[in-house]
Amino acid sequence: MISKHVSYKEGIHSNTAVRRGIENVPNDEQLENMKTIAEEVFEPLREWVGGPIKINSFFRCPKLNKAIG
């Protein structure tokens, strides 16, 4: 888990990456940034909404970002 309700797997999942065989893995600095965003943005948003939120395209490595455009 990168925060109370956001999993690492959820943060890096991409159907495009799976389909194209792209390894979508953050480096240490990017992972720390993901943790900060999860704690400071997604967790308060989840609390405000009052339940789970769906996260899309949380992290994209450069190769995946280029593939998506």
Side-chain angles (χ1 to χ4, degrees), residues 17-35:
V18 171
R19 193 171 52 252
R20 295 187 181 198
I22 297 171
E23 189 174 351
N24 189 42
V25 177
N27 63 31
D28 291 341
E29 180 181 4
Q30 292 163 330
L31 181 56
E32 287 305 312
N33 289 336
M34 289 173 68
K35 289 177 182 179

Side-chain angles (χ1 to χ4, degrees), residues 1-12:
M1 300 296 283
I2 61 174
S3 73
K4 184 176 180 180
H5 297 99
V6 180
S7 72
Y8 175 81
K9 184 178 177 180
E10 177 182 26
I12 66 166

Side-chain angles (χ1 to χ4, degrees), residues 22-67:
I22 297 171
E23 189 174 351
N24 189 42
V25 177
N27 63 31
D28 291 341
E29 180 181 4
Q30 292 163 330
L31 181 56
E32 287 305 312
N33 289 336
M34 289 173 68
K35 289 177 182 179
T36 300
I37 291 168
E39 288 291 337
E40 295 183 11
V41 177
F42 295 145
E43 290 297 339
L45 178 59
R46 188 182 194 283
E47 188 173 320
W48 182 77
V49 169
I53 59 172
K54 182 166 176 56
I55 300 170
N56 292 325
S57 298
F58 183 15
F59 172 78
R60 290 182 188 168
C61 67
K63 185 175 182 179
L64 176 58
N65 205 39
K66 184 175 182 180

